[in-house]
Amino acid sequence: MVFIEVCIGSSCHLKGAPEIVELLEQNMKEQHLEDEIVLSGSFCLGKCNRVGVTITVNEEAHTGITRDNFRDFWNDVVLKAVEEGKGN
């Protein structure tokens, strides 16, 4: 199981957190990963960045996630975590 937590605090909210949550939900549904990923929100994760949203994947923080770099984040971080989780 992969645990994804999206910062929805005021700073990340203004930097696009609702849109990132929507992209995560959309990708999870399209790739039938609803049973592999637990998606939740959190107020400030303490890793504010000038650009983008902070997201933790299995407690590892990733900062600066935007619509522009979301595809790379999804492929390189999320899908990798899902594959690693299947090996356990």
Side-chain angles (χ1 to χ4, degrees):
M1 188 67 62
V2 175
F3 295 90
I4 298 177
E5 195 170 32
V6 179
C7 180
I8 56 171
S10 57
S11 178
C12 284
H13 179 81
L14 293 172
K15 294 174 187 159
E19 183 178 28
I20 296 300
V21 169
E22 188 176 308
L23 288 169
L24 285 163
E25 290 174 335
Q26 179 183 355
N27 279 272
M28 287 168 58
K29 186 175 181 178
E30 287 174 0
Q31 296 183 27
H32 309 288
L33 295 174
E34 297 95 332
D35 294 334
E36 304 287 333
I37 297 173
V38 175
L39 180 61
S40 64
S42 175
F43 288 101
C44 192
L45 294 169
K47 302 284 186 183
C48 296
N49 194 352
R50 291 182 181 261
V51 178
V53 177
T54 299
I55 301 174
T56 61
V57 177
N58 293 336
E59 298 186 16
E60 181 179 336
H62 302 270
T63 60
I65 308 303
T66 65
R67 173 179 268 293
D68 292 338
N69 65 20
F70 178 82
R71 180 61 47 203
D72 289 337
F73 168 75
W74 178 261
N75 292 330
D76 298 343
V77 177
V78 176
L79 292 182
K80 181 180 177 187
V82 168
E83 285 303 313
E84 289 173 355
K86 289 181 180 179
N88 293 332

